């Protein structure tokens, strides 16, 4: 490999750092979730969001470290992947999701978030994107609301859902 040029992927390092930062902020907010006053909950309402935040931090750090590794540089003739824009669009969609989560509610905001991200990355698969964006949040809702007895924000659907 001494004859080949070696390079790093600074875009991955920056993207990983941003994801780790968002994950850290998300974890801090999740840890401030008030405990469930009832004794019916198996786990507290902060467990899942805290776990998600920690996973975002770990994943972001892994991507950042991967961007620092030396690897063979890509040939100049190879077209750019435009990955930087994909990252910022995804971060913007996630930011909108976080802002909408409480006032709009878990179900509607998660369906919109998943549909937005899935459609951005696979715009021609709108049917499977829609099925996934509806079915996955419904499964999570059933698990949290009925099996774990951890209430999720109802938002605009308050009083509509059983």
């Amino acid at each position: 490999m001494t004859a080949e040029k070696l390079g790093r992927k600074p875009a991955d390092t920056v993207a990983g750092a941003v994801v780790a930062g968002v994950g850290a902020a998300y974890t801090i907010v999740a840890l401030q979730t008030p405990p469930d006053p009832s004794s019916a909950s198996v786990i507290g309402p902060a467990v899942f969001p805290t776990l998600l935040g920690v996973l975002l931090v770990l994943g972001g750090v892994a991507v950042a470290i991967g961007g620092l590794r030396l690897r063979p540089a890509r040939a100049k003739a190879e077209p750019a992947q435009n990955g930087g824009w994909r990252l910022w669009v995804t971060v913007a969609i996630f930011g909108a999701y976080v802002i909408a989560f409480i006032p709009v509610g878990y179900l509607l905001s998660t369906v919109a978030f998943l549909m937005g991200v899935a459609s951005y990355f696979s715009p021609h698969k709108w049917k499977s994107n829609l099925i996934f964006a509806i079915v996955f949040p419904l499964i999570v809702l059933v698990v949290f609301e009925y099996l774990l007895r951890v209430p999720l924000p109802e938002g605009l659907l308050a009083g509509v859902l059983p």
Side-chain angles (χ1 to χ4, degrees), residues 14-157:
V14 171
V18 168
V19 169
V22 168
Y26 186 80
T27 302
I28 291 168
V29 171
L31 288 171
Q32 296 173 1
T33 304
D36 184 10
S38 73
S39 62
S41 294
V42 176
I43 59 173
V47 171
F48 181 72
T50 302
L51 178 63
L52 178 60
V54 169
L55 290 175
L56 281 171
V57 170
L58 294 175
V61 168
V63 170
I65 290 172
L68 294 173
R69 282 189 341 199
L70 287 174
R71 66 191 87 212
R74 288 203 271 195
K76 295 287 183 190
E78 192 174 317
Q81 294 291 326
N82 201 7
W85 278 109
R86 285 183 164 231
L87 167 70
W88 295 114
V89 168
T90 305
V91 168
I93 294 171
F94 181 72
Y97 173 62
V98 169
I99 291 168
F101 190 77
I102 300 294
V104 175
Y106 161 76
L107 191 58
L108 293 178
S109 63
T110 304
V111 167
F113 168 72
L114 291 176
M115 188 63 188
V117 170
S119 296
Y120 180 68
F121 285 102
S122 299
H124 302 296
K125 296 182 178 181
W126 68 270
K127 287 179 185 176
S128 59
N129 293 345
L130 184 62
I131 291 169
F132 170 72
I134 292 172
V135 171
F136 180 76
L138 285 173
I139 291 170
V140 171
L141 179 74
V142 167
V143 168
F144 274 80
E145 291 280 342
Y146 302 107
L147 297 177
L148 298 175
R149 297 182 190 218
V150 175
L152 295 171
E154 293 177 329
L156 300 174
L157 295 178

Side-chain angles (χ1 to χ4, degrees), residues 3-15:
E4 284 185 59
K5 284 189 170 184
L6 295 176
R8 300 181 195 279
K9 293 182 112 180
D12 284 358
T13 304
V14 171

